[in-house]
Amino acid sequence: MGLPQARETGRRIAKGEILLYIDADTIIPPSHLSKVSEYFANHNETVAVTNPFSFYDGNWKTNIFIWFVFKFTFPLYFRILEAFKLPQFDLGGSFAVRKYILEKTGGFITNLPFYGEEEL
């Protein structure tokens, strides 16, 4: 089973309204769960969010680069996408999504090759 299949299996059996996906090599901030819960409660129009994260097996250069991208690059990038009414995306390392959106769109695509996983 690969990553898309595992995510889809989780979606199908999950009971909650908000699904949080965290990759095995990802470290999320300690306050993340409460922040995600609060954000969704206060932003009914939001369907998904991503967050800063680091990799437990990443070297310090990689994790500083990721921090920089989340802190400076993504905020500007997402404002540009929003200004032009372009679709936005979540990063796979850690994201939360309203379950009904995944159900409405048919869930994760499980029959396409997923490049970037170690098993390939």
Side-chain angles (χ1 to χ4, degrees):
M1 178 183 295
L3 182 62
Q5 295 82 8
R7 286 181 176 162
E8 178 60 14
T9 298
R11 178 195 69 84
R12 285 195 315 264
I13 64 173
K15 305 287 187 227
E17 295 176 23
I18 306 297
L19 306 182
L20 178 60
Y21 291 89
I22 305 168
D23 284 2
D25 61 352
T26 300
I27 300 170
I28 60 171
S31 61
H32 183 60
L33 293 178
S34 60
K35 285 183 178 181
V36 166
S37 179
E38 182 180 330
Y39 192 87
F40 277 105
N42 294 324
H43 297 86
N44 291 329
E45 74 286 358
T46 298
V47 297
V49 297
T50 193
N51 64 280
F53 58 85
S54 59
F55 297 108
Y56 80 88
D57 58 351
N59 64 42
W60 67 270
K61 292 177 189 175
T62 300
N63 286 328
I64 287 178
F65 175 75
I66 291 169
W67 174 85
F68 181 85
V69 168
F70 270 104
K71 185 79 172 169
F72 300 106
T73 306
F74 279 158
L76 174 61
Y77 178 69
F78 287 125
R79 279 195 293 266
I80 292 169
L81 291 176
E82 188 172 348
F84 288 99
K85 307 286 188 231
L86 296 171
Q88 298 182 22
F89 64 91
D90 285 327
L91 296 178
S94 175
F95 64 96
V97 61
R98 293 188 191 273
K99 185 176 182 183
Y100 84 88
I101 291 296
L102 287 175
E103 290 172 348
K104 196 173 186 179
T105 60
F108 292 93
I109 299 171
T110 59
N111 61 349
L112 294 174
F114 183 76
Y115 299 102
E117 288 303 300
E118 290 80 7
E119 64 190 55
L120 294 178

